[in-house]
Amino acid sequence: MKNVNKYLVLAAAALTLTACVDDLNTKPLDEHSTTAFDQDQMFTKCYQTLALTGQQGPAGDGDVDDLDEGTSAFYRLMWELNEFPTDEGWWIWNDVGLADIRVMNWNGENDLVKGLYYRFNIDVKLCNHFLANAGNDEKSEQQKAEVRFIRALNYYYLLDLFYVAPFSIKESTDYPHFVTRPELYDWLVNTELPELLTLLPAQRLSKYRVDQTAANLLLARLYLNAEIYTSTDGVTKGTAQWDKALEYAKKALASNYKLYDQPTTVYRKDSTGEVIDTVVYT
């Protein structure tokens, strides 16, 4: 009898397991969602990470967990961590973590510090996902070069602000390995950005896309601070690269970019679309 009971229990467990497995073989509950890779949408998402915070506008589905979505924007956090510890910026609102940033009393548990660290790393993962799944035709190769630059830009800011960084240039379920600032600097200036200069277009393909000038400008910024980035202990100065900084700065300045000097008209509208007033910026 004991053996019969044992087999009945095993059979019931097997049926339960089968039911659980079958339950996973379902279509998405949201008919508008898909697990298929949409290359153009993912390409756009990689660019959007520089400005937007999530999937559906101002709030509700943010890219970065455990942080108020409004404060998780790439350039907002980067600007705050660069400026608020100095006397160049000040903020009277009592945002979580901001008071400690202002008085240089922060650590790795600060919400804004964690938020920016997470932002850079999720952006890198999104770029790696695109690179792993994009096609190999001419359009895809062009898109991949631009996404690689966006990934390099995120790694530049990780290098600049955090000294060590988790490093992975392939989509993987394995944990990335950590690299030091000199190692990441070496990869950027000697491997990734020089190769991208041969892959990116000489001039941008549309108004908001990157080209060779973006890579030249990033190289100039890296070389400008080479003494810091090549330091092996974070205290002793490394190797200066003033000539290299000047070389790539001149390349960027010699491009067809210039300061915008035409008047810009801004129309402020009410909820019905009627123009309330007009402002001209010169």
Side-chain angles (χ1 to χ4, degrees), residues 104-120:
M104 292 290 287
N105 186 35
W106 53 271
N107 57 31
E109 294 303 311
N110 182 282
D111 280 10
L112 301 184
V113 175
K114 287 193 298 184
L116 186 57
Y117 185 78
Y118 295 157
R119 163 60 64 188
F120 291 151

Side-chain angles (χ1 to χ4, degrees), residues 12 38-39 41 129 205 227 229 256 264 272 276:
D38 188 312
Q39 182 169 321
Q41 287 189 10
H129 179 65
L205 300 179
E227 283 184 307
Y229 298 153
N256 63 341
T264 299
T272 66
I276 300 174

Side-chain angles (χ1 to χ4, degrees), residues 8-215:
L8 286 174
V9 171
L10 291 173
L15 288 172
T16 304
L17 180 61
T18 302
C20 290
V21 172
D22 289 340
D23 286 344
L24 298 177
N25 296 325
T26 61
K27 294 181 179 180
L29 296 178
D30 184 353
E31 62 182 14
H32 300 293
S33 68
T34 177
T35 56
F37 178 75
D38 188 312
Q39 182 169 321
D40 287 336
Q41 287 189 10
M42 194 66 208
F43 176 67
T44 302
K45 174 65 179 179
C46 290
Y47 268 104
Q48 286 177 337
T49 59
L50 302 177
L52 303 183
T53 57
Q55 303 299 312
Q56 60 178 35
D61 193 8
D63 293 330
V64 181
D65 286 339
D66 302 324
L67 182 68
D68 175 73
E69 187 176 341
T71 66
S72 69
F74 182 98
Y75 277 107
R76 172 173 175 161
L77 283 172
M78 186 193 63
W79 188 86
E80 288 178 345
L81 263 69
N82 271 287
E83 296 299 323
F84 285 144
T86 74
D87 57 1
E88 295 179 356
W90 193 249
W91 197 250
I92 60 173
W93 290 359
N94 194 28
D95 294 10
V96 175
L98 195 53
D100 289 332
I101 295 290
R102 288 201 308 259
V103 296
M104 292 290 287
N105 186 35
W106 53 271
N107 57 31
E109 294 303 311
N110 182 282
D111 280 10
L112 301 184
V113 175
K114 287 193 298 184
L116 186 57
Y117 185 78
Y118 295 157
R119 163 60 64 188
F120 291 151
N121 282 286
I122 189 63
D123 291 356
V124 167
K125 282 189 170 293
L126 290 170
C127 290
N128 284 341
H129 179 65
F130 176 87
L131 295 169
N133 292 279
N136 297 311
D137 57 284
E138 183 177 352
K139 173 188 173 182
S140 298
E141 292 299 329
Q142 179 60 63
Q143 289 181 337
K144 284 192 281 189
E146 295 176 49
V147 169
R148 283 175 61 181
F149 176 82
I150 296 170
R151 182 180 65 183
L153 184 66
N154 278 274
Y155 271 131
Y156 161 72
Y157 285 119
L158 276 167
L159 168 153
D160 186 62
L161 291 168
F162 291 101
Y163 189 75
V164 296
F167 183 75
S168 176
I169 56 175
K170 291 184 179 181
E171 187 173 50
S172 173
T173 57
D174 295 333
Y175 288 117
H177 67 282
F178 277 81
V179 293
T180 64
R181 178 180 277 170
E183 290 172 325
L184 191 49
Y185 169 87
D186 180 71
W187 176 75
L188 284 167
V189 302
N190 292 319
T191 300
E192 189 69 352
L193 289 172
E195 185 174 338
L196 287 179
L197 282 173
T198 69
L199 299 174
L200 290 168
Q203 296 184 11
R204 58 188 174 179
L205 300 179
S206 63
K207 187 174 182 180
Y208 299 105
R209 294 170 67 175
V210 298
D211 55 19
Q212 291 176 7
T213 301

